[in-house]
Amino acid sequence: MLPFGIEYYRPDTIDEALKLYRRLRENHQEPVFYGGGTELLTRARLQNVHFDAVIDLKNIPEVRVHGRSGDWLEFGAGLRLTDLADGNLWPLLTATADRIADHTTRGQITLGGNLLSTIPYREASLPFLLMDEAEALVATEDGIESRPLANLVSDSFIKPGEFLVSVRVKGDEAKGIAYRSRKMTRQDWIDYPLVTVAVTRRADGSLRAAFSGWAGFPFVSSAVNHILSDTGKSARRRAQEAVAHMPVKALEDLHGTREYREFVTEYTLAQIIDELEDD
Ligand SMILES: Cc1cc2nc3c(=O)[nH]c(=O)nc-3n(C[C@H](O)[C@H](O)[C@H](O)COP(=O)(O)OP(=O)(O)OC[C@H]3O[C@@H](n4cnc5c(N)ncnc54)[C@H](O)[C@@H]3O)c2cc1C
């Protein structure tokens, strides 16, 4: 039971959804865009968010795209995490998204909801942060705008009244890449991450790593990537240096101390480097 009443809308087009949001705001209501509802409904029950109308986007065809379009691999924001695994269009995305929550919850959580979550992990963003060409298509009053996914964690990435339609990556870049994605939790297989590390190795041997759980937001760091790519040093040494040069300090929270996060990240990175360079 929710502690307050809400109106539910399920528009069929992008235009309808944008107009609906505007009309509700003009009527002094507080609408929110709705993916799988897992976060919104939990927060509403805890009474740490208030809204009186939800605009469920999942009937909009553009929000459900899942396939190749020209050079791009496209993923609708309304796809559920289980849809990503079932389609397995991009194995790195499958590997990362398939470790979020448990299978039943992944059947509710949408890609858009995970990417725009107020919960800090947003693990499905890691594969996109590793790509040169990764874009978000955002529905705005001025039409569909393409925005770099590298800006996902910026406050201005999506403004009130706008919504995420889909995300896309260049197929050739995404598919021709060796990768590992590893989620480290404190104890159980299913839990929020102590740290999740996704690493790619490109044809020229360079490595890139994206992290979730280390800080209050997912990130990549060019300084860290530079260190990881220095094949003149052992995997262990590179992992040590990478951890020492992270752009922010590791979190201290109920999942683990700063020192423990550093230790686990270093160990995981060293193992992944060895594996990728042995392939
Ligand atoms: C049991 C459980 C376990 C979890 N474990 C993990 C985990 O291991 N790793 C992890 O990364 N996350 C985890 N999460 C967090 C989860 O991924 C996020 O809470 C996510 O937001 C839920 O997606 P949803 O589709 O249900 O979002 P919703 O509840 O529908 O929406 C969440 C937020 O996103 C906004 N939103 C949704 N879709 C759009 C859109 N297309 N455009 C604009 N705004 C939009 C909503 O307005 C809202 O603010 C877990 C959540 C649960 C409930």
Side-chain angles (χ1 to χ4, degrees), residues 172-278:
D172 287 348
E173 186 187 9
K175 290 232 159 168
I177 243 168
Y179 69 86
R180 289 289 186 282
S181 177
R182 208 146 289 161
K183 176 168 184 165
M184 308 303 286
T185 55
R186 192 173 72 159
Q187 196 171 347
D188 298 321
W189 176 256
I190 294 163
D191 197 356
Y192 289 119
L194 190 58
V195 66
T196 296
V197 188
V199 183
T200 54
R201 182 167 188 261
R202 293 177 182 250
D204 65 1
S206 63
L207 297 175
R208 295 184 190 180
F211 303 89
S212 160
W214 173 279
F217 47 87
F219 67 91
V220 289
S221 153
S222 49
V224 167
N225 291 340
H226 187 72
I227 293 166
L228 295 176
S229 302
D230 182 357
T231 50
K233 293 178 181 160
S234 70
R236 187 142 176 251
R237 178 82 192 278
R238 281 180 268 166
Q240 265 169 358
E241 289 185 11
V243 164
H245 288 85
M246 290 292 233
V248 280
K249 283 196 172 149
L251 286 176
E252 289 252 5
D253 62 12
L254 57 93
H255 299 286
T257 61
R258 176 163 301 145
E259 290 73 22
Y260 188 51
R261 265 201 172 79
E262 289 171 352
F263 166 76
V264 170
T265 305
E266 187 182 312
Y267 168 84
T268 308
L269 273 174
Q271 205 179 44
I272 290 178
I273 296 170
D274 271 337
E275 287 175 17
L276 283 172
E277 294 183 346
D278 280 351

Side-chain angles (χ1 to χ4, degrees), residues 32-43 57 63 77-78 81 99-102 105 108-119 121-124 158 162-165 183 191-193 212:
V32 286
F33 292 115
Y34 180 99
T38 60
E39 179 173 322
L40 283 170
L41 299 181
T42 306
R43 292 184 64 203
L57 300 167
V63 173
L81 299 183
R99 286 295 320 273
I100 294 170
D102 59 280
T105 312
Q108 282 293 312
I109 294 175
T110 60
L111 177 60
N114 183 268
L115 295 176
L116 297 172
S117 174
T118 56
I119 297 173
Y121 306 108
R122 308 190 199 187
E123 286 179 85
I158 202 154
E162 298 179 344
F163 66 87
L164 184 64
V165 175
K183 176 168 184 165
D191 197 356
Y192 289 119
S212 160

Side-chain angles (χ1 to χ4, degrees), residues 145-167:
E145 282 184 15
S146 139
R147 296 182 187 162
L149 266 170
N151 297 341
L152 180 70
V153 298
S154 126
D155 285 344
S156 57
F157 179 71
I158 202 154
K159 299 181 196 72
E162 298 179 344
F163 66 87
L164 184 64
V165 175
S166 60
V167 289

